[in-house]
Coordinates of all heavy atoms in Angstrom, one line a residue:
I143 N 8.7 1.6 -1.2 CA 8.6 2.2 0.2 C 7.1 2.3 0.5 O 6.3 2.7 -0.4 CB 9.3 3.6 0.3 CG1 10.8 3.4 0.1 CG2 9.0 4.2 1.6 CD1 11.6 4.6 -0.1
I144 N 6.7 2.0 1.7 CA 5.3 2.2 2.1 C 5.3 3.5 2.9 O 6.0 3.7 3.8 CB 4.8 1.0 3.0 CG1 4.8 -0.3 2.2 CG2 3.4 1.4 3.6 CD1 4.3 -1.5 3.0
D145 N 4.4 4.4 2.4 CA 4.2 5.7 3.0 C 2.9 5.6 3.8 O 1.8 5.6 3.2 CB 4.2 6.8 2.0 CG 4.0 8.2 2.6 OD1 3.9 8.3 3.9 OD2 4.0 9.2 1.9
A146 N 3.0 5.6 5.1 CA 1.8 5.6 6.0 C 1.5 7.0 6.6 O 0.7 7.0 7.5 CB 2.0 4.5 7.1
T147 N 2.2 8.0 6.1 CA 2.0 9.3 6.7 C 0.6 9.8 6.7 O 0.1 10.3 7.7 CB 3.0 10.3 6.1 OG1 4.3 9.8 6.1 CG2 3.0 11.7 6.8
K148 N -0.1 9.7 5.6 CA -1.4 10.3 5.5 C -2.5 9.2 5.3 O -3.6 9.5 5.5 CB -1.5 11.3 4.3 CG -0.7 12.5 4.6 CD -0.9 13.6 3.6 CE -0.2 14.9 4.0 NZ -0.5 16.0 3.0
C149 N -2.1 8.0 4.9 CA -3.1 6.9 4.7 C -2.5 5.6 5.2 O -2.1 4.8 4.4 CB -3.5 6.8 3.3 SG -2.2 6.5 2.1
G150 N -2.4 5.5 6.5 CA -1.8 4.3 7.1 C -2.7 3.8 8.2 O -3.8 4.2 8.4
N151 N -2.2 2.8 8.9 CA -3.0 2.2 10.0 C -2.2 2.5 11.3 O -1.2 3.2 11.4 CB -3.3 0.7 9.8 CG -2.1 -0.1 9.8 OD1 -0.9 0.4 9.8 ND2 -2.3 -1.4 9.7
L152 N -2.7 1.8 12.4 CA -2.0 2.0 13.7 C -0.6 1.6 13.8 O 0.2 2.0 14.6 CB -2.8 1.3 14.8 CG -4.2 1.9 15.1 CD1 -4.9 1.0 16.2 CD2 -4.1 3.3 15.6
A153 N -0.1 0.7 12.8 CA 1.2 0.3 12.9 C 2.2 1.4 12.8 O 3.4 1.3 13.3 CB 1.5 -0.7 11.7
R154 N 1.8 2.5 12.2 CA 2.8 3.6 12.0 C 3.1 4.3 13.4 O 4.1 5.0 13.5 CB 2.2 4.7 11.1 CG 1.0 5.4 11.7 CD 0.4 6.4 10.7 NE -0.7 7.1 11.2 CZ -1.3 8.0 10.6 NH1 -0.9 8.5 9.4 NH2 -2.4 8.6 11.2
F155 N 2.4 3.9 14.4 CA 2.7 4.5 15.8 C 3.7 3.6 16.6 O 4.0 4.0 17.7 CB 1.4 4.7 16.6 CG 0.5 5.7 16.0 CD1 -0.7 5.4 15.4 CD2 0.9 7.1 16.0 CE1 -1.5 6.4 14.8 CE2 0.0 8.1 15.4 CZ -1.1 7.7 14.8
I156 N 4.1 2.5 16.0 CA 5.1 1.7 16.7 C 6.4 2.4 16.8 O 7.0 2.8 15.8 CB 5.3 0.3 16.0 CG1 3.9 -0.4 16.0 CG2 6.3 -0.5 16.8 CD1 4.0 -1.7 15.2
N157 N 6.9 2.5 18.0 CA 8.2 3.2 18.3 C 9.4 2.3 18.2 O 9.3 1.1 18.3 CB 8.2 3.9 19.7 CG 7.4 5.1 19.7 OD1 7.6 6.0 18.8 ND2 6.5 5.3 20.7
H158 N 10.5 2.9 17.9 CA 11.8 2.2 17.9 C 12.2 1.8 19.3 O 12.0 2.6 20.2 CB 12.9 3.0 17.2 CG 14.3 2.5 17.5 ND1 14.8 1.5 16.8 CD2 15.2 2.8 18.4 CE1 16.0 1.2 17.3 NE2 16.3 2.0 18.3
C159 N 12.9 0.7 19.4 CA 13.5 0.3 20.7 C 14.7 -0.5 20.4 O 14.7 -1.3 19.5 CB 12.5 -0.4 21.6 SG 13.2 -0.8 23.2
C160 N 15.8 -0.3 21.1 CA 17.0 -1.1 20.9 C 16.9 -2.5 21.4 O 17.6 -3.4 21.0 CB 18.2 -0.4 21.6 SG 18.6 1.2 20.9
T161 N 16.0 -2.8 22.3 CA 15.7 -4.1 22.8 C 14.2 -4.3 22.6 O 13.4 -4.3 23.5 CB 16.1 -4.3 24.2 OG1 15.5 -3.3 25.0 CG2 17.6 -4.3 24.4
P162 N 13.7 -4.5 21.3 CA 12.3 -4.5 21.0 C 11.6 -5.8 21.4 O 12.3 -6.9 21.6 CB 12.3 -4.3 19.5 CG 13.6 -5.0 19.0 CD 14.6 -4.7 20.1
N163 N 10.3 -5.8 21.4 CA 9.5 -7.0 21.7 C 8.9 -7.6 20.4 O 8.3 -8.6 20.4 CB 8.5 -6.8 22.7 CG 7.5 -5.7 22.4 OD1 7.4 -5.2 21.3 ND2 6.8 -5.2 23.5
C164 N 9.2 -6.9 19.3 CA 8.7 -7.3 18.0 C 9.7 -7.1 16.9 O 10.8 -6.5 17.1 CB 7.4 -6.5 17.6 SG 6.0 -6.8 18.6
Y165 N 9.5 -7.6 15.7 CA 10.4 -7.4 14.6 C 9.5 -7.3 13.3 O 8.4 -7.8 13.3 CB 11.4 -8.6 14.4 CG 10.8 -9.9 14.1 CD1 10.6 -10.4 12.8 CD2 10.4 -10.7 15.2 CE1 10.1 -11.6 12.6 CE2 9.8 -12.0 14.9 CZ 9.7 -12.4 13.6 OH 9.1 -13.7 13.4
A166 N 10.0 -6.6 12.3 CA 9.3 -6.4 11.0 C 9.9 -7.5 10.0 O 11.1 -7.7 10.0 CB 9.5 -5.0 10.5
K167 N 9.0 -8.0 9.2 CA 9.3 -9.0 8.2 C 8.6 -8.7 6.9 O 7.4 -8.4 7.0 CB 9.0 -10.4 8.7 CG 9.4 -11.5 7.8 CD 9.1 -12.8 8.5 CE 9.5 -14.0 7.6 NZ 9.2 -15.3 8.2
V168 N 9.3 -8.7 5.8 CA 8.7 -8.6 4.5 C 8.2 -10.0 4.1 O 9.0 -10.9 4.0 CB 9.7 -8.0 3.5 CG1 9.0 -7.9 2.1 CG2 10.1 -6.6 3.9
I169 N 7.0 -10.1 3.8 CA 6.4 -11.4 3.3 C 5.8 -11.1 1.9 O 5.4 -9.9 1.6 CB 5.4 -12.0 4.2 CG1 4.2 -11.1 4.5 CG2 6.1 -12.3 5.6 CD1 3.1 -11.8 5.3
T170 N 5.6 -12.1 1.1 CA 5.0 -12.0 -0.2 C 3.7 -12.8 -0.2 O 3.7 -14.0 0.1 CB 5.9 -12.5 -1.3 OG1 7.1 -11.8 -1.2 CG2 5.3 -12.3 -2.7
I171 N 2.6 -12.1 -0.5 CA 1.3 -12.7 -0.6 C 0.7 -12.4 -2.0 O 0.6 -11.2 -2.3 CB 0.3 -12.2 0.5 CG1 0.9 -12.6 1.9 CG2 -1.1 -12.8 0.3 CD1 0.1 -12.0 3.0
E172 N 0.4 -13.4 -2.8 CA -0.1 -13.2 -4.1 C 0.7 -12.2 -4.9 O 0.2 -11.3 -5.5 CB -1.6 -12.8 -4.1 CG -2.5 -13.9 -3.4 CD -3.9 -13.5 -3.3 OE1 -4.3 -12.4 -3.8 OE2 -4.7 -14.3 -2.8
A173 N 2.1 -12.4 -4.9 CA 3.0 -11.6 -5.7 C 3.2 -10.2 -5.2 O 3.8 -9.4 -5.8 CB 2.7 -11.7 -7.2
Q174 N 2.6 -9.9 -4.0 CA 2.7 -8.5 -3.5 C 3.4 -8.6 -2.2 O 3.1 -9.4 -1.3 CB 1.3 -7.9 -3.3 CG 1.4 -6.4 -2.9 CD 0.1 -5.7 -3.0 OE1 -1.0 -6.4 -2.9 NE2 0.1 -4.4 -3.1
K175 N 4.5 -7.7 -2.0 CA 5.3 -7.7 -0.8 C 4.5 -6.8 0.2 O 4.0 -5.8 -0.1 CB 6.7 -7.1 -1.1 CG 7.5 -8.1 -1.9 CD 8.9 -7.5 -2.1 CE 9.8 -8.4 -2.9 NZ 11.1 -7.8 -3.1
K176 N 4.5 -7.4 1.5 CA 3.9 -6.7 2.6 C 4.8 -6.7 3.8 O 5.7 -7.6 3.9 CB 2.6 -7.3 2.9 CG 1.6 -7.3 1.8 CD 0.3 -8.0 2.2 CE -0.7 -8.0 1.1 NZ -1.3 -6.7 1.0
I177 N 4.7 -5.7 4.6 CA 5.5 -5.6 5.9 C 4.6 -6.0 7.0 O 3.5 -5.5 7.2 CB 6.0 -4.2 6.1 CG1 7.0 -3.8 5.0 CG2 6.7 -4.2 7.5 CD1 7.5 -2.4 5.1
V178 N 5.0 -7.1 7.7 CA 4.2 -7.6 8.9 C 5.0 -7.5 10.1 O 6.2 -7.8 10.1 CB 3.7 -9.0 8.6 CG1 2.9 -9.5 9.8 CG2 2.9 -9.1 7.3
I179 N 4.4 -7.1 11.2 CA 5.1 -7.0 12.5 C 4.7 -8.3 13.3 O 3.6 -8.6 13.5 CB 4.7 -5.7 13.3 CG1 4.8 -4.5 12.4 CG2 5.4 -5.6 14.6 CD1 6.1 -4.1 11.9
Y180 N 5.8 -9.0 13.8 CA 5.6 -10.2 14.5 C 6.2 -10.0 15.9 O 7.2 -9.3 16.1 CB 6.4 -11.4 13.9 CG 5.8 -11.8 12.6 CD1 6.2 -11.4 11.4 CD2 4.8 -12.8 12.6 CE1 5.6 -11.8 10.2 CE2 4.2 -13.3 11.4 CZ 4.7 -12.8 10.2 OH 4.1 -13.3 9.1
S181 N 5.6 -10.7 16.9 CA 6.2 -10.6 18.3 C 7.4 -11.5 18.4 O 7.5 -12.6 17.9 CB 5.1 -11.1 19.3 OG 4.6 -12.4 18.9
K182 N 8.4 -11.0 19.1 CA 9.7 -11.8 19.4 C 9.5 -12.6 20.6 O 10.2 -13.5 20.9 CB 10.8 -10.8 19.6 CG 11.3 -10.1 18.4 CD 12.4 -9.1 18.7 CE 13.7 -9.9 19.0 NZ 14.9 -8.9 19.1
Q183 N 8.6 -12.1 21.5 CA 8.4 -12.7 22.8 C 7.0 -12.5 23.3 O 6.3 -11.8 22.6 CB 9.4 -12.0 23.8 CG 9.1 -10.5 23.9 CD 10.2 -9.7 24.4 OE1 11.4 -9.9 24.0 NE2 9.9 -8.7 25.2
A184 N 6.6 -13.0 24.4 CA 5.3 -12.8 24.9 C 5.2 -11.3 25.3 O 6.1 -10.7 25.8 CB 5.0 -13.7 26.1
I185 N 4.0 -10.8 25.0 CA 3.7 -9.3 25.3 C 2.5 -9.3 26.1 O 1.4 -9.9 25.7 CB 3.6 -8.5 23.9 CG1 4.8 -8.6 23.1 CG2 3.2 -7.1 24.2 CD1 4.7 -8.1 21.7
G186 N 2.5 -8.5 27.2 CA 1.4 -8.4 28.1 C 0.4 -7.3 27.7 O 0.8 -6.4 26.9

C-alpha cells in the first residue's frame, strides 16, 4: 500500500468521481510497482 498521508505529492488530492476523467494504473519500472494516473479523455 502507498501511504501519502504525511509524505506524498499532489496526487493525493485527486477526488473520487463515478464518471471520472482519469484512471489509475499499476505499472512496473525496474522491478518496482508504481501507481500512475492517466487521462481517460481530453481534460481542459
Side-chain angles (χ1 to χ4, degrees):
I143 293 167
I144 295 178
D145 182 359
T147 306
K148 293 191 175 182
C149 59
N151 64 353
L152 290 178
R154 69 185 180 173
F155 294 110
I156 300 174
N157 282 312
H158 164 82
C159 183
C160 295
T161 53
N163 55 18
C164 292
Y165 64 94
K167 183 176 179 180
V168 177
I169 62 171
T170 304
I171 299 175
E172 297 176 3
Q174 188 170 20
K175 291 181 179 179
K176 298 179 178 285
I177 297 171
V178 180
I179 310 301
Y180 289 93
S181 56
K182 288 177 73 169
Q183 62 203 39
I185 299 170

